[in-house]
Amino acid sequence: MAVSRCARAFPSFDCRCDPDFSRPEIPSAGFHRFSDKNKSTTLRAAHGLSSVILKFPPNFVRQLSIKARRNCSNIGVAQVVAASWSNDQAASGCTPAVKAVDAAAAAVVPVEAAEDVICNDENVNKLGGSPFLEYASFLSSDGSVAIHAGERLGRGIVTDAITTPVVNTSAYFFKKTADLIDFKEKRRASFEYGRYGNYTTIVAEEKISALEGAESTLLMASGMCASTVMLMALVPAGGHLVTTTDCYRKTRIFIETVLPKMGITSTVIDPADIRGLESALEKNKVTLFFTESPTNPFLRCVDIELVSKLCHDKGALVCIDGTFATPINQKVLALGADIVLHSATKYIGGHNDVLAGSISGPHKLISTIRDLHHVLGGALNPNAAYLIIRGMKTLHLRVQQQNTTAHRMAEILEAHPKVKRVYYPSLASHPEHELAKKQMKGFGGVVSFEVDGDLLTTARFIDALRIPYIAPSFGGCESIVDQPAIMSYWDLSQSDRAKYGILDNLVRFSFGVEDFKDLKADVLQALETI
């Protein structure tokens, strides 16, 4: 690949290398989407790591033309465009920032001397997703990575702001037709259109990639969007997939009613039925094994390592929906799965205020899903991406609190005379307790249980609770409770609900980050009313 050649649009620009984050021994962890076959030079577009922080000189605004200033957003010129980052460094040690400065300057000031950024790669127009396969040596915990990945560790938006700006744009412009042709012929990087990517969204994607140890992450408008697009992209017409009995109902509906229209068939097995999986792999040309772990709502766990080995031996891919676990509690890709999916609406967002879904995995697979996503739509709004970024900075703290609260409440509920059964992986009574201990660090904030009573008795217990909201969803700061027989399965008869194990007395309780004593008192007092 030809080295990017950009003239210094503003010679008075200063590059400030932060001494704490510019040490040569810190590895570059970004996925170099713009590397050539010889890998001699890499242009990291909008999402690579960089130790350089750009500092605009005091007279910068005065150097802008009136037209350029009029085109700047109210957040400032720093967020107008993302920089194209490069690995090569000159004697000053700050030359990676030169390209970033030129990219930002060229977007707001016409500079005749500036040359175009040239790069050769077949994926040059796809700027989303970046892996952090090797974290910087000074970040050893998921909590630190969730805070700094994609931001302190380098982001494509040229800004000195601590928080990532929201780039509200529906399209990206080209200065001249020649630039557009360079983009079309894959010599120039751009998103072109808002449905194909956004610089704020990239930061959120990088954070998830960093936590999952993934090469690439794609964010979409919802968890269901992520599930459906993934299934359609990876399972060919006439293909076969394997899933499990206990799973999110809307996912099951899609698999049972929509995919058959494409000739796609499925085998449904119990999450622990390894023999059933082996049989399905022998009898069918299975393309994909897709399930949740833990599952919804009974928190069943799949032996991800074993399932991945069996599927890979037969050429099948493995996708695990890790929403209930979060990347804090479980590393799906490290256990052998090919793809991990999340409803980022839940724990990752964490504040019950945003809808999003994510898919993480190898660049090749995610690119296949990304191509279909660009056709179908369902793009994440940059404001939603900002909420995901903000939410992830407290992800490890929230999950730790929720793990502790849920475990303690599960023990209390299991010992209570008015509770018939509790479903939570930390309990010895859970069918996959030993497996969960092996592949999970924590067990999440959701506890499902059956009260000793019928539909109305269970509803009376729920109505007596004062802290949790009666609502769908889970994983947020606020506790949420629901009765699945009413919330998710009310359109089915009692007997049809029972086929899925959904009894009238089943309760799903998502514990938030309220004080444990308050939650305990509220639950025990509500149980006394039945």
Side-chain angles (χ1 to χ4, degrees), residues 311-385:
C311 289
H312 292 162
D313 287 345
K314 294 295 184 178
L317 297 171
V318 174
C319 177
I320 301 294
D321 184 332
T323 301
F324 272 80
T326 80
I328 302 296
N329 285 333
Q330 181 175 262
K331 302 295 185 185
V332 167
L333 301 181
L335 290 168
D338 300 287
I339 298 172
V340 58
L341 183 147
H342 290 282
S343 172
T345 306
K346 313 303 191 297
Y347 290 101
I348 288 179
H351 290 76
N352 293 316
D353 60 2
V354 62
L355 291 174
S358 71
I359 303 174
S360 303
H363 171 64
K364 183 177 180 180
L365 287 178
I366 302 305
S367 293
T368 299
I369 301 169
R370 191 186 303 274
D371 288 342
L372 180 59
H373 170 59
H374 287 173
V375 174
L376 297 178
L380 186 70
N381 184 281
N383 294 280

Side-chain angles (χ1 to χ4, degrees), residues 377-433:
L380 186 70
N381 184 281
N383 294 280
Y386 177 85
L387 292 176
I388 294 295
I389 294 168
R390 183 215 56 185
M392 288 188 70
K393 294 183 180 183
T394 59
L395 175 63
H396 67 296
L397 298 174
R398 290 185 282 104
V399 169
Q400 288 170 9
Q401 174 72 12
Q402 289 165 307
N403 285 344
T404 300
T405 297
H407 170 72
R408 296 173 69 183
M409 286 305 306
E411 291 182 327
I412 291 171
L413 288 167
E414 191 171 48
H416 200 283
K418 293 187 178 180
V419 176
K420 296 180 67 175
R421 186 174 181 182
V422 179
Y423 304 91
Y424 191 69
S426 75
L427 300 177
S429 59
H430 190 278
E432 286 85 45
H433 172 63

Side-chain angles (χ1 to χ4, degrees), residues 264-284:
I264 297 173
T265 55
S266 61
T267 296
V268 182
I269 62 174
D270 183 88
D273 188 2
I274 296 301
R275 289 186 179 180
L277 173 60
E278 290 175 329
S279 176
L281 291 169
E282 288 293 336
K283 295 178 181 178
N284 307 279

Side-chain angles (χ1 to χ4, degrees), residues 224 243-252 271 291-302 321-325 343 346 423 425 430 446-448 472-474 482-484 487-489 500-502 506-510:
M224 271 307 299
T243 187
T244 58
T245 51
D246 189 31
C247 69
Y248 179 53
R249 189 185 176 201
K250 291 298 188 294
T251 304
R252 181 190 297 118
T291 188
E292 305 156 8
S293 188
T295 60
N296 183 12
F298 295 109
L299 304 166
R300 299 289 302 280
C301 297
V302 175
D321 184 332
T323 301
F324 272 80
S343 172
K346 313 303 191 297
Y423 304 91
H430 190 278
V446 175
V447 178
S448 294
S473 197
F474 59 89
D482 76 87
Q483 191 173 354
M487 183 67 71
S488 303
Y489 290 84
Y500 298 106
I502 306 298
L506 179 65
V507 175
R508 191 185 70 174
F509 203 124
S510 172

Side-chain angles (χ1 to χ4, degrees), residues 493-508:
S493 65
Q494 185 182 49
S495 60
D496 286 339
R497 293 196 297 264
K499 293 177 183 178
Y500 298 106
I502 306 298
L503 302 180
D504 289 346
N505 62 346
L506 179 65
V507 175
R508 191 185 70 174

